[in-house]
Amino acid sequence: MTKDSKLETYLTEGIEGLIRDMTKATARNPKASLFMLKYAVSAKKAMDKREASEKAGVHIPAFLIASVTSKCNLHCQGCYARARENSGCVDHEEESQLSDLEWLGIFEEAKTLGIGFVLIAGGEPFMRQSLIEGMGKQSDILFPIFTNGTLLDVAALKMLDKFRNLIPILSIEGLSESTDIRRGQGIYQQMQQTMDRLNRKRIFYGASITVHKENLKEAFSQELLGDLSDRGCKAVFFVEYVPVDTDAEPLELDETDRAYQNIQMDAIRKRYPEMLFIAFPGDEKESGGCLAAGRGFFHINYDGSAEPCPFSPYSDANIREMTLMEAMESPFFKKLRSGDMLLADHTGGCVLFTQEDSVKELLHGETPPHRTL
């Protein structure tokens, strides 16, 4: 892959900005601040590795997304992972899931390539606390862990206090009513109690809000964000809703909604300078298109399948059978990156989700129009 200067500039500036903002957010927390200063050195080395690979004609994504378990203890309304084909969010442990040793080997390989951010998802990741403890020992990698927060017991809090590269990101839907409707009665109050415990231990943590038409204004409200700030939350991820079926499509954000979100992002960054705010998938115009399929990240599912992203769970490669580099250069990923699919105009939070039939056709051998990145 030839160098895409727009993409590289976007990724480099984005990572530098993220580290800068996280360092700023930990300024009054000596333990977290010391870790971030050390991590900044590791992150710079990782960027240097990626730049060297780029000059050699090999593109390395800046991030990985890893769904480390199929098991979850909640049954959230409209859960994408439970609903989608080939995804994974179930009540039992899938026999095919990667072991702790396999996952830790993947993360070690990622580090050698220059990947210093691995976003952890599930299922519910804290159902695998032994794996999370192993991740904590890989201090050159930052692991934001997207969790429902219900399993952050005394042992988990002690582990998070010890390993500051583990960043819990608590999933909420807004205020109490919105969260409890989707996640279960009493979950929001439980999250507030968890936040207070994290705050007392001065553990850097964040929140994740799935944003759709019905909760858009609430997600950016002073009532919600002010409460998060008061409870010590230092990062908020706004994740654009992807429908689980056609009946849910009216909840998708449109261009007017996204314009409103962009205005609100600017406003809340000024109102809460101590906090870090990230919108996902973010502004694809700035990155030259969707970052999936190895442009900026790709997804490893619980069974080792290398997928373009969590919302496009299709694969022709498995990490059990090859290296990360080989998976990134799989025929399927190459076709996605060389065609125009990642650049297409779309509604909803995921361009590949909106072109699901075309993605399946591509996986089974059809080639899109060529485009050099």
Side-chain angles (χ1 to χ4, degrees), residues 2-9 54 287-288 295 371 373:
T2 60
K3 183 171 180 178
D4 183 331
S5 59
K6 187 174 185 179
L7 173 63
E8 291 309 308
T9 298
E54 199 73 37
S287 62
R295 290 190 76 240
R371 174 181 178 271
L373 292 178

Side-chain angles (χ1 to χ4, degrees), residues 5 37 66-67 72 103 107 120 143 156 202 233 240 250-251 271 289 300 302 322 339 349 353:
S5 59
L37 290 172
S67 291
C72 186
W103 275 118
F107 301 147
I120 302 297
F143 293 99
R202 307 196 75 183
C233 179
E240 191 169 328
L251 292 174
R271 187 181 304 144
I300 304 174
Y302 68 89
M322 61 188 68
F353 176 82

